[in-house]
């Protein structure tokens, strides 16, 4: 089972609990390139509008949908999952939002955010944003989405998968 299959299965499991809005069938991609420096703009993600500092020269559309800079396009996440720019979920489909808002909304527990998620690819260029192996666009360490998975859980699942494949 590939990493994407595992996440897709997780997405569908969460969808069954009502944690996720939208369907897995509308996966997008963010192939291409973008330069990154800093500026400020308004962005809309998840259920709420909120101010977020965007990298300079990056449009809101690019911020939400990509493309992300080359360094992230096929990078590996904190749990060693490879990002495939052609198989990514739109932010709106996974309730992407700031982690504090998600906690307030009762969607997750305090302490869970992109920074400690298995799928996160941390900032590589100093602009404050990283990327995600499963979700489109720029991702901040204090964000969250319904695909959140602990690094330990992901690594244990990967080990179990390897053990099954070798038996
Ligand atoms: S919680 Fe953040 S890093 Fe984890 S899957 Fe969602 S957007 Fe990606």
């Amino acid at each position: 089972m590939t990493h994407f299959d595992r996440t897709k299965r997780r997405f569908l499991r969460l969808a069954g609990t009502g944690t996720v809005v939208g369907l897995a069938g509308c996966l997008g991609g963010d192939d291409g390139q973008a330069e990154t420096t800093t500026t400020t703009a308004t962005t809309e993600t998840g259920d709420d509008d909120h101010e977020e500092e965007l990298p300079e020269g990056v449009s809101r559309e690019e911020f939400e949908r990509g493309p992300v800079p080359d360094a992230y396009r096929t990078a590996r996440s904190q749990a060693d999952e490879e990002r495939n720019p052609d198989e990514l979920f739109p932010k709106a489909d996974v309730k992407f939002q700031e982690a504090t808002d998600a906690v307030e909304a009762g969607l997750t527990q305090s302490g869970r955010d992109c920074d400690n998620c298995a799928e996160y690819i941390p900032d590589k260029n100093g602009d404050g944003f990283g990327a995600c192996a499963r979700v489109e666009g720029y991702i901040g360490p204090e964000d969250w989405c319904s695909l959140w998975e602990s690094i330990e859980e992901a690594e244990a699942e990967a080990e179990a998968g390897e053990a099954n494949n070798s038996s």
Side-chain angles (χ1 to χ4, degrees), residues 3 11-12 14 16 34 36 38 40 43 50-51 59 80 117 120 130-131 135 145 159:
H3 292 311
F11 175 86
L12 294 171
L14 290 167
T36 57
T38 56
T40 301
T43 185
H50 61 271
E51 292 289 333
S59 69
D80 201 34
C117 174
Y120 192 55
V135 178
C145 88
E159 279 182 24

Side-chain angles (χ1 to χ4, degrees), residues 96 113-114 117 119-120 132 134-135 139 143-145 147-148:
F96 181 88
D113 56 25
C114 295
C117 174
E119 315 289 0
Y120 192 55
C132 175
R134 298 295 169 254
V135 178
I139 309 288
D143 292 323
W144 172 90
C145 88
L147 298 178
W148 184 92

Side-chain angles (χ1 to χ4, degrees), residues 49-117:
D49 291 344
H50 61 271
E51 292 289 333
E52 186 146 26
E53 192 169 300
L54 304 184
E56 186 176 327
V58 175
S59 69
R60 174 173 165 172
E61 173 67 13
E62 287 173 326
F63 189 80
E64 301 296 343
R65 301 293 308 270
V68 296
D70 276 353
Y72 301 97
R73 288 188 64 252
T74 56
R76 304 191 82 85
S77 76
Q78 301 188 114
D80 201 34
E81 300 195 18
E82 185 173 354
R83 185 177 190 273
N84 181 342
D86 297 322
E87 293 184 339
L88 299 171
F89 291 97
K91 290 179 177 177
D93 284 6
V94 292
K95 290 204 165 188
F96 181 88
Q97 58 194 280
E98 290 186 5
T100 52
D101 292 340
V103 171
E104 277 183 26
L107 296 172
T108 189
Q109 302 171 16
S110 179
R112 293 182 174 186
D113 56 25
C114 295
D115 198 33
N116 58 31
C117 174

